[in-house]
Amino acid sequence: MMELREVLSKLKIENGLTTDQLSQKSGVPKGTLNKLLNGETRNPTGGTLKKIADALNCPVELLYPRDGRISDSLRNAGDVLPIHRRAVPVLGEIAAGVPIYADEDTELILCDDSLKCDFALRVRGDSMIGARIHDGDLVFIRCQDDVDDGEIAAVVLNDEATLKRVYHIKNGLQLLSENPRYAPMIFTLDECDSIRILGKAVGFQSQL
């Protein structure tokens, strides 16, 4: 298995780049690259990996280790690493409780490529603990403007985002938490004009 530093060294050589040239091309400081290349830094940010991947003309997933190391298939010239995971953007935070603004961020997170999602949101609050979604967890969202009754969705209320189960009721919409401490949120048809469903929650990743 290959470590990240080995993969970077191999790709740098294959692209005919010195560390100085890679730094200039990627915008990543030479000191940061040196730490990656000598193994001092093993968990760079998603933004750093994305810049390096773009400069090396390779998928960013190629630089993400699996279980801390990279597949041996990269050792052989011409081999292609099978991609089983992909990176999706983490777009700020979403409340599981009181709605909060989903501020856009540049963080990237890996998910299984079989998970049909477009982005992830980090949860703040405890209103979805009944669905095993806790404060600090990542929820993966597939973009769609409506969901079936009982499904968990990322919902924007007046530019503030929250995570709730959605139910279509007569003349309105009901948003339910998975914590009895939180009362249902009920909206009339007129009030629904200020509500927008970002997408359906299709998976989550818990903190250790």
Side-chain angles (χ1 to χ4, degrees):
M1 302 289 282
M2 296 179 71
E3 294 185 354
L4 174 58
R5 61 184 177 83
E6 296 176 286
V7 176
L8 283 178
S9 295
K10 177 178 173 62
L11 292 174
K12 184 166 72 77
I13 293 171
E14 289 179 349
N15 281 268
L17 297 174
T18 65
T19 303
D20 283 330
Q21 291 170 332
L22 179 57
S23 176
Q24 293 173 4
K25 190 174 181 180
S26 66
V28 175
K30 181 179 177 181
T32 299
L33 290 174
N34 280 330
K35 288 181 178 179
L36 289 170
L37 289 165
N38 63 27
E40 287 183 49
T41 300
R42 298 191 178 186
N43 295 298
T45 65
T48 295
L49 289 180
K50 182 65 166 61
K51 290 178 181 178
I52 295 173
D54 288 344
L56 293 172
N57 299 308
C58 72
V60 69
E61 292 90 343
L62 203 62
L63 303 180
Y64 277 95
R66 292 165 177 77
D67 299 324
R69 302 177 77 82
I70 305 295
S71 170
D72 274 332
S73 63
L74 276 179
R75 292 189 186 277
N76 301 315
D79 281 349
V80 177
L81 177 66
I83 300 301
H84 300 292
R85 295 190 292 176
R86 63 189 178 91
V88 297
V90 179
L91 302 182
E93 298 180 345
I94 188 166
V98 179
I100 57 177
Y101 181 63
D103 190 22
E104 186 170 347
D105 205 337
T106 57
E107 180 185 358
L108 295 174
I109 188 71
L110 281 182
C111 71
D112 191 289
D113 62 3
S114 66
L115 187 63
K116 306 303 181 184
C117 66
D118 297 292
F119 62 91
L121 291 166
R122 195 173 300 280
V123 172
R124 291 288 176 250
D126 63 356
S127 77
M128 297 303 291
I129 58 175
R132 298 184 293 122
I133 301 173
H134 296 266
D135 183 67
D137 288 353
L138 282 169
V139 177
F140 296 96
I141 305 295
R142 181 175 66 224
C143 290
Q144 54 187 73
D145 58 12
D146 200 4
V147 296
D148 292 334
D149 284 344
E151 292 184 327
I152 298 175
V155 184
V156 174
L157 310 174
N158 295 317
D159 294 328
E160 295 181 322
T162 189
L163 191 70
K164 292 288 183 285
R165 288 199 186 275
V166 175
Y167 291 90
H168 302 83
I169 59 176
K170 185 177 180 180
N171 298 321
L173 194 70
Q174 181 174 244
L175 305 180
L176 291 183
S177 300
E178 284 282 351
N179 185 333
R181 291 178 49 210
Y182 295 88
M185 304 170 72
I186 299 175
F187 302 89
T188 65
L189 286 178
D190 289 339
E191 293 172 326
C192 286
D193 289 339
S194 63
I195 298 175
R196 179 166 59 95
I197 294 176
L198 289 177
K200 175 182 174 180
V202 294
F204 69 94
Q205 178 177 302
S206 296
Q207 286 190 321
L208 294 178

